[in-house]
């Protein structure tokens, strides 16, 4: 999460959408009074930590998950007197749910564990999704609640598959002079999935489980498998 008073923007961080990389790139352009939560943890020395600036420990509801992923509603409550700031551009990023589900599974069962020098689990994709459906809300990969409070409560939602276009727009909108090469090359939490396309991970009609986990996103953004 980033609140930039210097540039008048708020970035709401979502899961498995390159949020740590976005924080890293935008963090290079923050002012002294800006706020950045950074990642909830540092995996290992192999992963660069995202910027933390002027972060205050707040009473954060456990049911909502890690504090680096503050929902827009709580950002407004804690930092803007409960109202969406009219003169700030509030944005986030989302990803095709069928792709995001695969990324979430591979990160939590393989990539993150390897970074922590642990063995990957043998939990397959279907087992992972089934477990999420029956787990507490804070474990869900769905980020709908982070940018929606019944209705969408941010100004713009970029799409993960339009990564470069997003940074071009942010660079122009806030005169940030972002190095576009850095947006292509920095991947702080690269999962290195062994798939050339996310559909290759689907073996047993897992789409039905994804559609239970991401029902609101799939309907709103009209995501297709």
């Amino acid at each position: 999460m980033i609140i930039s008073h210097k540039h008048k923007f708020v970035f709401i961080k979502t899961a498995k959408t390159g949020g740590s990389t976005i924080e890293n790139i935008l963090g290079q352009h923050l002012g002294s009074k800006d706020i950045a939560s950074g990642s909830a943890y540092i995996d290992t020395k192999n992963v660069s930590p995202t910027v933390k600036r002027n972060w205050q420990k707040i009473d954060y509801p456990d049911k909502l998950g890690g504090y680096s992923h503050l929902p827009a509603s709580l950002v407004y409550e804690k930092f803007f007197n409960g109202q969406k700031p009219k003169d700030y551009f509030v944005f986030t990023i989302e990803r095709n749910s069928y792709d995001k589900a695969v990324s979430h599974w591979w990160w939590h069962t393989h990539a993150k564990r390897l970074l922590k020098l642990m063995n990957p689990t043998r939990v397959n994709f279907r087992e992972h999704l089934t477990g999420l459906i029956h787990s507490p809300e804070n474990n869900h990969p769905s980020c709908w609640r982070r940018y929606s409070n019944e209705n969408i409560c941010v100004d713009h939602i970029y799409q993960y598959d339009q990564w470069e276009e997003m940074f071009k727009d942010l660079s122009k909108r806030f005169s940030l002079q972002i190095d576009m090469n850095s947006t292509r090359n920095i991947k702080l939490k690269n999962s290195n999935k062994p798939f050339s396309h996310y559909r290759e991970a689907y073996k047993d009609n897992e789409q039905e489980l994804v559609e239970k986990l991401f029902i609101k996103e799939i309907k709103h953004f009209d995501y297709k498998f």
Side-chain angles (χ1 to χ4, degrees):
M1 185 277 290
I2 295 175
I3 300 173
S4 176
H5 300 297
K6 177 181 179 181
H7 298 292
K8 301 292 184 181
F9 73 72
V10 177
F11 167 57
I12 302 299
K13 185 178 180 181
T14 49
K16 309 317 301 169
T17 56
S20 293
T21 300
I22 294 171
E23 286 179 322
N24 182 279
I25 293 171
L26 296 181
Q28 301 173 35
H29 303 274
L30 298 183
S32 61
K33 295 183 179 180
D34 291 350
I35 299 168
S37 65
S39 290
Y41 57 87
I42 300 172
D43 294 301
T44 70
K45 64 181 180 181
N46 298 320
V47 177
S48 301
T50 54
V51 64
K52 288 181 181 288
R53 187 190 297 271
N54 299 326
W55 178 246
Q56 306 171 43
K57 184 175 181 181
I58 64 174
D59 181 18
Y60 186 72
D62 290 339
K63 66 180 181 180
L64 295 176
Y67 66 78
S68 68
H69 295 279
L70 292 176
S73 59
L74 190 58
V75 171
Y76 302 156
E77 176 186 336
K78 296 293 183 179
F79 299 101
F80 296 101
N81 297 316
Q83 301 294 320
K84 179 179 174 295
K86 295 181 179 180
D87 54 344
Y88 285 63
F89 179 66
V90 185
F91 70 96
T92 188
I93 181 170
E94 191 52 281
R95 183 176 188 173
N96 183 309
S97 302
Y98 300 98
D99 184 13
K100 187 175 185 176
V102 174
S103 180
H104 189 275
W105 163 60
W106 192 258
W107 172 252
H108 286 283
T109 61
H110 289 75
K112 184 171 73 171
R113 293 181 65 85
L114 291 175
L115 284 172
K116 292 177 173 291
L117 304 179
M118 300 169 65
N119 291 326
T121 73
R122 295 184 178 182
V123 175
N124 65 36
F125 188 32
R126 171 167 279 276
E127 291 169 340
H128 180 73
L129 295 176
T130 301
L132 290 172
I133 287 174
H134 299 293
S135 68
E137 185 181 10
N138 65 310
N139 289 331
H140 285 202
S142 171
C143 292
W144 179 260
R145 66 191 182 280
R146 295 195 167 98
Y147 51 79
S148 175
N149 188 7
E150 297 301 330
N151 297 308
I152 299 297
C153 59
V154 298
D155 293 311
H156 192 76
I157 302 173
Y158 294 100
Q159 292 297 317
Y160 184 79
D161 61 359
Q162 298 175 335
W163 183 261
E164 188 163 333
E165 290 83 354
M166 173 185 67
F167 277 109
K168 286 180 179 178
D169 183 58
L170 292 173
S171 184
K172 180 179 180 180
R173 187 183 292 269
F174 301 110
S175 302
L176 297 181
Q177 298 182 339
I178 294 172
D179 177 10
M180 297 311 297
N181 285 327
S182 70
T183 72
R184 305 182 191 103
N185 298 329
I186 296 176
K187 292 184 178 180
L188 297 185
K189 294 182 178 178
N190 188 0
S191 295
N192 293 317
K193 296 185 291 295
F195 315 113
S196 58
H197 194 281
Y198 66 82
R199 291 195 192 98
E200 296 175 18
Y202 287 77
K203 307 293 184 183
D204 188 22
N205 198 31
E206 290 87 358
Q207 298 95 307
E208 63 183 16
L209 299 177
V210 172
E211 288 158 7
K212 289 181 179 179
L213 283 166
F214 298 94
I215 184 171
K216 293 181 178 179
E217 295 96 315
I218 291 173
K219 180 178 180 180
H220 181 82
F221 297 108
D222 195 27
Y223 288 138
K224 305 297 185 185
F225 178 67

